[in-house]
């Protein structure tokens, strides 16, 4: 099919194919290892949301938006005991929390942060449904997996990571489709109504990547996607008609509009939206972050980490002062996303999106985690000295994920490192490492018994009769980890 060929509502193209798959797929259709991996990915998403719930930017968002609520709603906020809001606000804010500190998952082929889009929307929908029915663990797990599979496929239709190079915030663009797909599955919508939900979700999609610099709204853009998809599914459930064949349409179609000016031929790939459904599992390409910064700079951090391991004597505190130059090279996506030069004043959002700041942080602190982005750390003069000695170069021939680095010293010597893929991609974090991350992120912010109970529920989702105990557990008061 040529791009945008389907303009008739009865044409059976990729939009209808993916809608039918969403409506018909069963949990037993999904391999056991994929179902198991999904539970650990969910656990990681909840860890990120609970950890970030009381960061200053997240508290600010809660205080502003909760003040607009006319009365208490029926949906909880992660880490906010006694605070209930409407489902749409819950989806927005909990999505903001999960994206709140750049520790959440990402997809290596079509970048989006699936958990920040899907989990808030599903939990809000499930709480709204509780007067009609309880939601079981298998239902929740299946609906999550549907979103895990649909979101990246929509992204692949836009050439995946390339959309970042054109200035769109990829996950905020792909995300409404993912949350609409998940909630549609939880609601048990027909294929026709699923198509309506996807059409309504797609017309709300947007996200400017300029949000990565000084703006606080970067944290919220995946929350917008969670809310948009949830609203779309609610509207479709009520009989509201959405755009038909929304992905492949030529005039005003989703893929056509968001791929405009991308320089690709073909401009967009509608067949990717429904390609290999039930055969190739996109869940396998969801990556878990080991570092508290944008995935586009993880390879640069790993370059430093490997150099520190190979040449420990060059990176001792008394030797770091001899660094004369740090030269970072990366491919187009990583360069445009994270290859800009950090400058004061810098917010922690900007710091986490800059390769120069992340590399300097790894050299000085030997780690790039939440504690390294406290406000006082953003003024660390040792870090800024190295930032000032750093530059980034675009290497058009480098594939996505590849980085190289050369560090020159005052005596004329230098050390170099090439990284093909960052830790978390090759190799991906194991399920055991994800549990370790979950426990580390939550151990100082909430009661250990609550942590244990949430972990137990999530890792037994496939046999759980009712997920409702999870709601109040997730709303247990947490604290700010970088206060």
């Amino acid at each position: 099919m040529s791009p945008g060929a389907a303009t008739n509502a009865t044409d059976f193209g990729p939009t209808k194919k993916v809608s039918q798959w969403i409506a018909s797929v069963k949990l037993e259709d999904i391999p056991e290892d994929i179902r198991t991996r999904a539970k650990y990915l969910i656990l990681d998403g909840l860890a990120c949301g609970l950890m970030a719930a009381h960061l200053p930017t997240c508290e600010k968002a809660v205080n502003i938006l909760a003040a607009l609520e006319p009365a208490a709603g029926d949906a909880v906020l992660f880490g906010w005991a006694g605070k209930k809001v409407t489902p749409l606000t819950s989806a927005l804010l909990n999505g903001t929390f999960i994206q709140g500190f750049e520790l959440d998952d990402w997809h290596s082929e079509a970048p989006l942060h699936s958990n920040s889009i899907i989990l808030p929307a599903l939990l809000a929908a499930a709480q709204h449904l509780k007067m009609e029915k309880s939601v079981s663990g298998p239902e929740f797990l299946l609906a999550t997996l549907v979103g895990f599979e649909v979101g990246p496929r929509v992204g692949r239709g836009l050439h995946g990571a390339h959309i970042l190079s054109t200035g769109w915030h990829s996950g905020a663009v792909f995300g409404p489709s993912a949350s609409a797909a998940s909630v549609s599955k939880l609601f048990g919508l027909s294929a026709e109504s699923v198509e309506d939900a996807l059409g309504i979700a797609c017309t709300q999609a947007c996200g400017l990547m300029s949000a990565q610099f000084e703006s606080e709204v970067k944290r919220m853009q995946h929350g917008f996607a969670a809310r948009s998809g949830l609203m779309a599914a609610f509207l479709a459930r009520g009989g509201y008609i959405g755009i038909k064949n929304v992905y492949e349409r030529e005039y005003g179609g989703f893929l056509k509009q968001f791929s405009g000016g991308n320089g690709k031929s073909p401009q967009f790939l509608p067949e990717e939206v429904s390609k290999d459904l039930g055969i190739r599992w996109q869940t396998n390409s969801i990556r878990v972050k080991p570092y508290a910064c944008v995935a586009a700079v993880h390879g640069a951090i790993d370059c430093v980490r490997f150099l520190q391991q190979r040449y420990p004597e060059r990176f001792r505190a008394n030797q770091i002062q001899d660094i004369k130059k740090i030269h970072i090279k990366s491919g187009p996506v990583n360069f445009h996303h994270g290859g800009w030069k950090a400058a004061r004043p810098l917010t922690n959002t900007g710091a986490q999106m800059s390769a120069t700041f992340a590399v300097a942080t790894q050299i000085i602190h030997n780690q790039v985690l939440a504690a390294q982005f406290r406000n006082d750390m953003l003024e660390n003069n040792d870090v800024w000295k190295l930032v000032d000695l750093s530059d980034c170069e675009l290497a058009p021939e480098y594939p996505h994920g590849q980085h190289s680095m050369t560090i020159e010293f005052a005596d004329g010597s230098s050390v170099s490192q090439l990284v093909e893929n960052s830790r978390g991609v090759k190799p991906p974090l194991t399920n055991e490492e994800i549990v370790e991350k979950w426990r580390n992120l939550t151990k100082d912010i909430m009661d250990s018994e609550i942590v244990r109970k949430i972990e137990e529920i999530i890792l037994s989702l496939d046999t759980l009769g009712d997920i409702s105990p999870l709601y109040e557990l997730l709303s247990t008061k947490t604290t700010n980890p970088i206060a």
Side-chain angles (χ1 to χ4, degrees):
M1 179 186 297
S2 62
T7 57
N8 190 305
T10 61
D11 288 348
F12 196 79
T15 304
K16 284 185 169 55
K17 289 177 183 177
V18 74
S19 299
Q20 285 204 346
W21 180 82
I22 292 167
S24 63
V25 67
K26 299 178 177 62
L27 193 59
E28 54 265 32
D29 297 333
I30 301 173
E32 184 178 358
D33 64 317
I34 302 298
R35 301 197 304 262
T36 297
R37 183 64 170 179
K39 292 187 291 185
Y40 288 89
L41 293 172
I42 292 169
L43 192 67
D44 184 67
L46 296 180
C48 295
L50 290 164
M51 184 274 259
H54 286 278
L55 294 174
T57 54
C58 292
E59 288 192 342
K60 185 189 299 186
V62 171
N63 292 332
I64 293 169
L65 295 178
L68 300 177
E69 302 285 328
D74 54 11
V76 303
L77 295 178
F78 299 160
W80 285 76
K83 177 83 74 176
K84 290 194 175 183
V85 294
T86 62
L88 295 177
T89 300
S90 173
L92 171 59
L93 288 171
N94 285 332
T96 301
F97 298 169
I98 295 176
Q99 252 277 280
F101 218 76
E102 293 298 331
L103 271 164
D104 55 328
D105 65 279
W106 61 288
H107 193 279
S108 60
E109 297 176 20
L112 78 166
H113 306 285
S114 297
N115 279 320
S116 65
I117 300 161
I118 294 165
L119 300 185
L122 282 179
L123 286 165
Q127 289 169 87
H128 189 75
L129 284 176
K130 66 184 178 184
M131 297 304 294
E132 302 174 28
K133 60 175 291 246
S134 62
V135 173
S136 71
E139 288 175 311
F140 188 85
L141 181 60
L142 175 59
T144 302
L145 277 158
V146 164
F148 283 173
E149 293 299 314
V150 170
R153 283 181 163 82
V154 174
R156 287 171 63 86
L158 289 169
H159 294 278
H162 181 72
I163 194 172
L164 287 167
S165 298
T166 66
W168 288 113
H169 191 177
S170 54
V173 173
F174 314 155
S177 293
S179 54
S182 284
V183 179
S184 293
K185 187 62 181 178
L186 192 71
F187 285 165
L189 299 187
S190 67
E192 183 177 9
S193 293
V194 171
E195 185 176 9
D196 289 328
L198 294 174
I200 297 167
C202 283
T203 199
Q204 301 176 74
C206 190
L208 302 176
M209 205 57 255
S210 54
Q212 74 177 29
F213 301 112
E214 70 286 336
S215 171
E216 293 176 334
V217 80
K218 193 272 176 186
R219 308 299 194 196
M220 191 173 277
Q221 289 184 167
H222 278 64
F224 291 153
R227 181 182 63 181
S228 295
L230 176 64
M231 187 193 318
F234 271 123
L235 286 167
R237 187 176 188 238
Y240 213 76
I241 305 301
I243 301 169
K244 302 297 185 181
N245 303 311
V246 70
Y247 297 115
E248 62 266 30
R249 273 195 151 145
E250 179 70 26
Y251 178 73
F254 176 83
L255 298 179
K256 172 68 180 297
Q257 296 309 118
F258 279 107
S259 62
N262 67 3
K264 292 288 189 178
S265 182
Q267 182 178 318
F268 57 97
L269 307 167
E271 66 279 1
E272 291 291 338
V273 174
S274 57
K275 186 178 180 180
D276 293 334
L277 281 164
I279 299 170
R280 182 178 179 228
W281 299 95
Q282 293 294 330
T283 302
N284 276 330
S285 294
I286 296 175
R287 309 305 184 193
V288 175
K289 289 183 179 179
Y291 311 124
C293 58
V294 67
V297 308
H298 281 214
I301 295 170
D302 279 334
C303 283
V304 176
R305 191 167 58 86
F306 289 135
L307 288 172
Q308 288 171 320
Q309 292 170 2
R310 289 169 57 199
Y311 307 104
E313 70 285 353
R314 304 308 301 261
F315 292 92
R316 295 192 182 105
N318 63 338
Q319 295 296 312
I320 291 173
Q321 62 186 354
D322 292 333
I323 292 176
K324 180 181 177 182
K325 185 73 176 175
I326 302 171
H327 185 63
I328 307 162
K329 292 178 66 174
S330 59
V333 171
N334 299 305
F335 176 81
H336 291 300
H337 201 12
W340 53 282
K341 183 72 170 275
R344 288 172 165 172
L346 191 66
T347 64
N348 55 28
T349 300
Q352 291 173 295
M353 308 295 287
S354 168
T356 57
F357 195 91
V359 162
T361 297
Q362 176 65 29
I363 292 173
I364 296 297
H365 300 296
N366 207 34
Q367 61 182 13
V368 186
L369 297 173
Q372 279 70 61
F373 296 99
R374 296 196 314 258
N375 288 340
D376 61 317
M377 290 295 194
L378 300 182
E379 296 300 325
N380 185 292
N381 288 325
D382 291 332
V383 170
W384 279 106
K385 178 184 177 182
L386 294 182
V387 171
D388 292 340
L389 296 174
S390 302
D391 65 35
C392 295
E393 177 185 347
L394 172 63
E397 72 278 12
Y398 279 18
H400 182 52
Q402 183 170 310
H403 285 78
S404 65
M405 181 180 297
T406 298
I407 299 179
E408 301 173 12
F409 296 89
D411 63 3
S413 64
S414 65
V415 293
S416 296
Q417 181 68 47
L418 175 71
V419 168
E420 301 285 352
N421 274 295
S422 61
R423 179 178 174 232
V425 177
K426 288 185 179 179
L429 296 195
T430 65
N431 291 342
E432 292 73 23
E433 287 175 317
I434 293 174
V435 170
E436 181 181 6
K437 179 183 172 185
W438 153 260
R439 293 173 182 172
N440 284 336
L441 289 183
T442 55
K443 67 180 180 180
D444 295 325
I445 63 167
M446 61 194 305
D447 182 78
S448 60
E449 182 60 17
I450 301 295
V451 171
R452 185 194 65 77
K453 287 179 179 179
I454 295 172
E455 180 182 322
E456 184 178 272
I457 287 173
I458 298 305
L459 297 185
S460 61
L461 276 176
D462 45 355
T463 59
L464 193 67
D466 181 4
I467 68 165
S468 59
L470 185 62
Y471 310 147
E472 293 304 319
L473 290 172
L474 290 174
S475 70
T476 301
K477 180 75 165 67
T478 58
T479 58
N480 179 358
I482 61 168

